[in-house]
């Protein structure tokens, strides 16, 4: 089941990157818009690791607050987001996911987020931020590693770190991964999606991007396949799936089957999806609540193709 | 926490019911549109119990089928629904909930369901059926007990059985229950809702009723308060909560808090709901995945009022 992620790093080819004249983004501002950081030492470790990768870091003064299960009250978390727009670092990373962004969405100044030009990155609950930003402004943000779960983990995954660095430096042109049972596809469209539960929770709200011909990627954790299917069904009934150019499935992990599932499992859900929606389904994306994860630009125009058991996401093209 | 349900049965008052000239509904047709029935003996027991209450029963020939976790394939379950429209009994009861109706919704002839004049009743997953029927046709159906969980339970709850019988015979005029911390309200509107996860799963789809000034009732089981809040947030963001005349909370049961919830619990969610949405919130509705449950007419115009720590749902009025 473990997909191999291949970063096609063309940094040896100077010609590929002559058009990126802005300075390399080398500073990261850490905020906590969702769940409380349980262990501040993980943030310290993340800063050391990010430093080794060439990134300076600053921790927002509210990032370690605790209120109930949240990293501070709603007001405190919103203030952290607002401060992130005004500080100097070009990258803003969520320390972790959890739960907490949903109820903040109406109180975030999305145009100010877009105008800041910052690269926001997070995962899981952060899907709500990325999709709301895309829906309200069209601006790009990133699904990828976070301080607590990735850079602050006891053992950091090197490929995850490399992919993050290359993506932030705009060096990553193609992300290739094993995808043996994927449908044939050769398409271009806007990459969007993230955590399925968060995507589904935005259906019918002003924070749901209205994307035609998109490349929709999805992952989730600790959701039984019947819940995964029910969430996909919501996207189907809402007319969202049929309008996409491709559905790219990341990792769905940590669910527990019951004896009465009686053969119903994730493969049954994927078979149902393929039979129900006439859109190419691509499996094996190295993304989800797993150690090896790509950094993915949500809202960016990309290409996707499958060939010989491999899938390729073309993140940057030279037109 | 256990609310007391009081059925105000005015059947001793003959004048109240002179306008109900149709024959009393005394037959129930059992179908399984969702999960497989694990123990067929529970259906036998339910039939005995329903017989004692004066209801003849017939079991659809697909009601005991098993396919994966479902009561038969999609086709078999759809055929059971179709047969239910053509048989003689006026009441059609789902044997149980589970998961399975979501993906059937586009393939059900909703106008035929409405035209059948049958009283459909179910709970949990059946919320998808009731809301889709209401959205597509405006027809009334019922949230209430099912064969497996209630009438087929080792110990049947007498109040649940009485409320079901009275509701089916159109004898129940007012449902009153203890509701000590409820907001003041005196309103009329369409009663709708059911299982929160199912309600949320229909947002943004053609199967979501578009109800203004409604009386929205909600319950759920085994959903952590943060998920309950996230689902309520979806309804809030979609503009649905603000348009209701009242939000009536049934029982939210069988969830497990974690140490990092740190004080975040259902009361925090209800406090957030009250602070966020300027709609009266009424608690204590005897409905949910619990033994004592009312039978509630989804899509029916009702009244609601609170007074002296009690809430009253006026199910039938004489105009």
């Amino acid at each position: 089941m473990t997909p191999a992620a291949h970063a096609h790093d063309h940094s040896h080819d100077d010609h590929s990157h002559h058009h990126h004249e802005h300075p390399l983004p080398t500073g990261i501002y850490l905020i906590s818009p969702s769940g409380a950081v349980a262990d501040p030492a993980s943030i310290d470790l993340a800063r050391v690791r990010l430093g080794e990768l060439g990134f300076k870091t600053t921790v927002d003064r509210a990032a370690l607050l605790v209120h109930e299960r949240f990293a501070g009250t709603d007001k405190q978390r919103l203030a952290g987001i607002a401060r992130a727009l005004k500080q100097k670092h070009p990258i803003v990373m969520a320390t972790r996911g959890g739960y907490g962004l949903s109820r903040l969405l109406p109180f975030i100044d999305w145009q100010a987020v877009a105008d800041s030009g910052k690269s926001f990155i997070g995962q899981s609950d952060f899907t709500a931020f990325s999709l709301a930003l895309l829906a309200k402004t069209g601006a790009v943000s990133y699904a990828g590693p976070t301080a607590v779960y990735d850079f602050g983990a006891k053992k950091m995954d090197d490929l995850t770190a490399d992919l993050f660095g290359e993506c932030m430096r705009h060096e990553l042109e193609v992300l290739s991964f094993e995808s043996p049972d994927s449908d044939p596809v050769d398409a271009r469209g806007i990459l969007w999606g993230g955590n399925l539960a968060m995507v589904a929770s935005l259906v019918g709200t002003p924070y749901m991007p209205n994307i035609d011909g998109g490349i929709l990627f999805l992952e989730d954790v600790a959701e039984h396949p019947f819940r995964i299917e029910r969430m996909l069904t919501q996207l189907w009934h809402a007319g969202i799936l049929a309008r996409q150019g491709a559905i790219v499935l990341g990792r769905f992990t940590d669910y527990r089957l019951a004896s009465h599932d009686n053969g119903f499992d994730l493969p049954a859900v994927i078979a149902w999806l393929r039979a129900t929606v006439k859109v190419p389904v691509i499996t094996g994306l190295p993304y989800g609540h797993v150690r090896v994860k790509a950094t993915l630009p949500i809202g960016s125009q990309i290409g996707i193709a499958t060939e010989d058991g491999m899938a390729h996401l073309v993140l940057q093209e030279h037109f």
Side-chain angles (χ1 to χ4, degrees), chain A residues 205-259:
Chain A
T205 80
Y207 310 107
M208 187 67 171
N210 185 16
I211 308 282
D212 282 320
I215 295 164
L216 175 64
F217 74 99
L218 299 166
E219 63 82 24
D220 219 322
V221 63
E223 297 284 1
H224 188 286
F226 91 78
R227 288 176 174 267
I228 294 168
E229 186 179 283
R230 192 169 64 191
M231 294 187 279
L232 290 171
T233 300
Q234 182 166 21
L235 300 178
W236 171 41
H237 289 337
I240 292 165
L241 294 186
R243 289 192 280 124
Q244 304 311 309
I247 299 167
V248 185
L249 301 179
R251 308 294 303 278
F252 292 82
T253 50
D254 293 344
Y255 59 80
R256 191 178 300 185
L257 296 176
S259 63

Side-chain angles (χ1 to χ4, degrees), chain A residues 131-149:
Chain A
L131 295 191
L133 178 64
L134 181 59
K136 292 291 191 181
T137 73
V140 171
S141 61
Y142 296 84
T146 58
V148 167
Y149 295 129

Side-chain angles (χ1 to χ4, degrees), chain A residues 5-12 17 163 166 171-177 310 312:
Chain A
H6 302 278
H8 288 208
D9 183 342
H10 295 255
S11 56
H12 60 278
H17 297 288
L163 289 170
E166 288 163 8
E171 291 168 2
L172 187 68
E173 299 186 347
V174 180
L175 176 74
S176 300
F177 51 92
M310 295 290 290
H312 310 279

Side-chain angles (χ1 to χ4, degrees), chain A residues 28-45:
Chain A
I28 298 177
Y29 192 75
L30 292 164
I31 60 171
S32 297
S34 305
V37 173
D39 177 15
S42 65
I43 302 295
D44 297 334
L45 180 55

Side-chain angles (χ1 to χ4, degrees), chain A residues 125-181:
Chain A
D125 193 56
F126 201 74
T127 300
F129 185 96
S130 289
L131 295 191
L133 178 64
L134 181 59
K136 292 291 191 181
T137 73
V140 171
S141 61
Y142 296 84
T146 58
V148 167
Y149 295 129
D150 298 284
F151 298 106
K154 206 169 278 186
K155 187 160 162 32
M156 183 178 69
D157 181 72
D158 289 337
L159 182 55
T160 298
D162 289 349
L163 289 170
F164 168 73
E166 288 163 8
C167 191
M168 289 296 106
R169 291 188 299 267
H170 306 282
E171 291 168 2
L172 187 68
E173 299 186 347
V174 180
L175 176 74
S176 300
F177 51 92
E178 288 177 13
S179 186
D181 71 338

